């Protein structure tokens, strides 16, 4: 195996008593469904990036923040890089490349249970062109494979770096679901950050505006159960959030008005469901999560609107926040 360094639980680096405080940005890349959002949530310890078993559900740069006494690791979640087919796809890819050039460390997520494919090579080639930024290979979903398969994957990833002419700063196997090596991953990312004071106040988990996070929660709930029929053609915009007037201070209520945008009138029935049952369920599910996020009771008013072919229309994309 040569000089490849794979971290196992026993080889944890020891922190010196006088270690300087570090703070910086990391982003996880990988093809859709490589486990990036799940890993972000496991590291932050709270649900910030949306996770869904449909590729390309993360559209915004959601940042999760890992607070440590000696460091602050800010996770920037970029959308998956893919070969663009639409204007939206192209715009997402531009966002990805800009983000990569600006972060302090890049974590490339590769699922342990899938052999390296053309999609992984496509991303690795892009990474190779970003010379200065250290790259950590993160082998995700290790709970799904046996040790032999894992070892083969680690060797393949080491080879991939060599082929493309760069060295991985670390290769780390993790399972976010089984909570294995997640803390170790943070321990390994932190030394790669620049020295400096914390960039965000303690207690902040993300700097995404609340409206964007709320829209994402609604969007995730709206996709539940209809992914096959409308995988990407849903966008959610929170039009307004207002505290309900005339409420006693100990019983506040937040009114949230949101629109679920779809591309075609025929999709309206799918989202609303028979007698409005599905939309009602979307409201119930997302309201619970929004209340947990904001820590306050919420009245959620949801409406479905058709925005014709919004994924291909620059004006609509701007309006919907892309």
């Amino acid at each position: 195996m040569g000089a490849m360094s794979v971290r196992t639980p026993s080889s944890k680096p020891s922190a010196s008593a006088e270690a300087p405080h570090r703070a910086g940005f990391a982003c996880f890349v990988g093809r859709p469904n490589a486990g990036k959002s799940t890993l972000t949530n496991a590291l932050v310890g709270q649900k910030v990036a949306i996770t869904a078993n449909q590729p390309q559900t993360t559209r915004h740069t959601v940042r999760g923040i890992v607070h440590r006494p000696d460091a602050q690791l800010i996770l920037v979640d970029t959308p998956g890089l893919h070969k663009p087919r639409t204007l939206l796809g192209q715009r997402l890819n531009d966002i990805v490349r800009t983000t990569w050039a600006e972060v302090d460390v890049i974590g490339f997520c590769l699922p342990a249970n899938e052999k390296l494919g053309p999609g992984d090579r496509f991303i690795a080639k892009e990474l190779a062109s970003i010379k200065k930024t250290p790259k950590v290979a993160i082998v995700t979903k290790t709970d799904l494979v046996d040790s032999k398969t894992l070892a083969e994957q680690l060797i393949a990833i080491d080879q991939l770096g060599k082929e493309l002419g760069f060295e991985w700063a670390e290769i780390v196997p993790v399972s976010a679901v089984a909570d294995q090596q997640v803390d170790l991953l943070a321990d390994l990312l932190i030394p790669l950050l620049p020295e400096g004071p914390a960039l965000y106040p303690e207690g902040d988990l993300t700097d995404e505006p609340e409206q964007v996070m709320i829209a994402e929660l609604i969007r995730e709930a709206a996709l539940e159960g209809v992914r096959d029929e409308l995988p990407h053609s849903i966008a959610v915009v929170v039009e307004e959030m207002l505290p309900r007037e005339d409420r006693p201070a100990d019983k506040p209520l937040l009114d949230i008005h949101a629109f679920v945008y779809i591309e075609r009138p025929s999709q309206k029935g799918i989202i609303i469901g028979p007698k409005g049952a599905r939309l009602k369920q979307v409201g119930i599910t997302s309201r619970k999560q929004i209340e947990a996020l904001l820590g306050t009771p919420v009245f959620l008013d949801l409406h479905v609107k058709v925005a014709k072919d919004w994924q291909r229309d620059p004006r609509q994309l701007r309006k919907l926040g892309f």
Side-chain angles (χ1 to χ4, degrees):
M1 274 177 71
M4 164 182 165
S5 83
V6 173
R7 296 290 190 155
T8 53
S10 58
S11 62
K12 183 171 169 174
S14 60
S16 75
E18 288 301 300
H21 190 281
R22 293 179 181 274
F25 296 86
C27 79
F28 294 147
V29 304
R31 56 196 161 80
N33 266 0
K36 303 180 291 282
S37 296
T38 311
L39 188 57
T40 300
N41 294 334
L43 278 163
V44 176
Q46 196 153 332
K47 187 168 174 174
V48 284
I50 70 161
T51 52
N53 34 15
Q54 177 74 19
Q56 290 177 38
T57 43
T58 312
R59 290 242 175 91
H60 293 281
T61 305
V62 178
R63 297 178 173 82
I65 302 170
V66 182
H67 295 278
R68 293 271 184 101
D70 59 336
Q72 190 175 64
L73 173 66
I74 299 141
L75 303 169
V76 187
D77 198 9
T78 54
L81 187 81
H82 52 91
K83 298 202 162 78
R85 285 189 303 275
T86 60
L87 182 65
L88 174 64
Q90 208 164 342
R91 200 163 286 187
L92 290 180
N93 280 1
D94 294 343
I95 297 172
V96 174
R97 290 197 184 82
T98 330
T99 308
W100 290 6
E102 290 167 358
V103 297
D104 300 300
V105 54
I106 299 172
F108 184 12
C109 295
L110 299 130
N113 61 334
E114 295 171 33
K115 284 210 172 354
L116 297 187
D120 298 315
R121 283 179 190 283
F122 174 68
I123 294 172
K125 267 203 187 96
E126 291 280 335
L127 285 182
S129 68
I130 297 172
K131 300 274 186 265
K132 287 200 176 90
T133 318
K135 302 156 200 60
V136 173
I138 304 166
V139 187
T140 58
K141 310 186 185 187
T142 55
D143 53 299
L144 301 179
V145 299
D146 58 24
S147 52
K148 182 172 172 286
T149 311
L150 179 57
E152 284 165 3
Q153 186 73 324
L154 294 170
I155 293 167
I157 289 168
D158 188 44
Q159 281 306 115
L160 179 64
K162 289 199 171 76
E163 263 170 55
L164 296 170
F166 70 85
E167 186 79 35
W168 299 108
E170 303 278 357
I171 300 178
V172 197
V174 302
S175 166
V177 173
D179 196 21
Q180 286 164 345
Q181 305 234 105
V182 173
D183 283 341
L184 173 72
L185 173 63
D187 294 341
L188 297 175
L189 292 172
I190 284 166
L192 300 170
L193 304 177
E195 290 178 20
L199 301 167
Y200 288 89
E202 181 93 50
D204 279 13
L205 288 170
T206 166
D207 76 346
E208 271 296 282
E210 284 172 343
Q211 271 164 271
V212 175
M213 292 183 72
I214 289 166
E216 289 286 303
L217 290 171
I218 296 169
R219 187 167 175 270
E220 187 178 333
L223 279 170
E224 219 37 73
V226 297
R227 294 190 199 289
D228 301 338
E229 298 152 280
L230 335 155
H232 309 314
S233 36
I234 296 181
V236 176
V237 174
V238 173
E239 289 287 323
E240 58 177 12
M241 291 167 49
L242 297 166
R244 177 82 55 95
E245 294 189 1
D246 313 325
R247 297 282 293 198
D250 58 340
K251 288 208 172 129
L253 182 66
L254 187 65
D255 283 316
I256 298 178
H257 301 278
F259 288 108
V260 179
Y261 286 96
I262 47 180
E263 290 192 286
R264 290 186 290 286
S266 59
Q267 298 169 332
K268 214 166 175 172
I270 302 174
I271 283 280
I272 293 172
K275 293 202 170 84
R278 173 162 277 146
L279 191 62
K280 191 174 169 192
Q281 193 49 55
V282 171
I284 293 169
T285 308
S286 51
R287 196 189 76 231
K288 280 193 190 124
Q289 296 194 323
I290 294 165
E291 290 182 337
L293 175 76
L294 302 177
T296 173
V298 162
F299 173 79
L300 182 60
D301 176 39
L302 279 186
H303 291 279
V304 179
K305 274 191 170 180
V306 178
K308 217 168 132 32
D309 291 332
W310 63 264
Q311 295 198 30
R312 295 173 192 279
D313 175 351
R315 214 177 37 123
Q316 301 267 22
L317 281 173
R318 268 199 305 279
K319 189 176 147 204
L320 298 173
F322 300 114

